[in-house]
């Protein structure tokens, strides 16, 4: 069983990785926040195809934008 110190080192290493990935994400303008980035990394580490994940994220963004636009149009019609 890992010691408390080993667990702390593992957490710090994971945080550093996410920090670097977040910087890359900002440079690439992915518009993923830290939580979304962490979840994406976790999914990929657990076997999700990165390209498929990217497609799903894009589709969810499109769907969210459509819902926002439909809601805004509905509000204007009232």
């Amino acid at each position: 069983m890992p010691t408390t110190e080993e667990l702390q080192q593992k957490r710090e290493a994971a945080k550093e990785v996410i920090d670097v990935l977040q910087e890359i994400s900002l440079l690439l303008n992915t518009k993923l926040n830290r939580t979304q980035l962490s979840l994406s990394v976790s999914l990929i580490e657990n076997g999700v195809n990165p390209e498929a994940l990217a497609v799903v994220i894009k589709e969810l963004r499109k769907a969210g934008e459509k819902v926002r636009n439909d809601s805004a149009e509905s509000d204007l019609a009232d």
Side-chain angles (χ1 to χ4, degrees):
M1 184 166 190
T3 66
T4 304
E5 185 177 320
E6 290 171 336
L7 290 173
Q8 183 63 28
Q9 288 175 344
K10 192 173 182 177
R11 279 189 212 105
E12 288 175 12
K15 183 187 178 305
E16 288 177 20
V17 168
I18 293 298
D19 288 344
V20 170
L21 290 175
Q22 187 175 28
E23 288 297 320
I24 294 169
S25 176
L26 289 171
L27 290 171
L28 296 175
N29 196 29
T30 65
K31 299 179 185 167
L32 292 174
N33 65 34
R34 190 174 185 85
T35 302
Q36 294 165 333
L37 186 60
S38 294
L39 291 171
S40 296
V41 169
S42 180
L43 287 168
I44 292 166
E45 286 176 340
N46 284 295
V48 171
N49 180 311
E51 291 177 10
L53 180 58
V55 169
V56 169
I57 290 170
K58 288 178 184 179
E59 291 299 317
L60 287 171
R61 285 183 175 163
K62 285 180 189 176
E65 186 64 29
K66 183 176 181 333
V67 168
R68 282 189 291 279
N69 288 340
D70 290 350
S71 177
E73 289 174 10
S74 167
D75 290 344
L76 290 175
D78 291 337

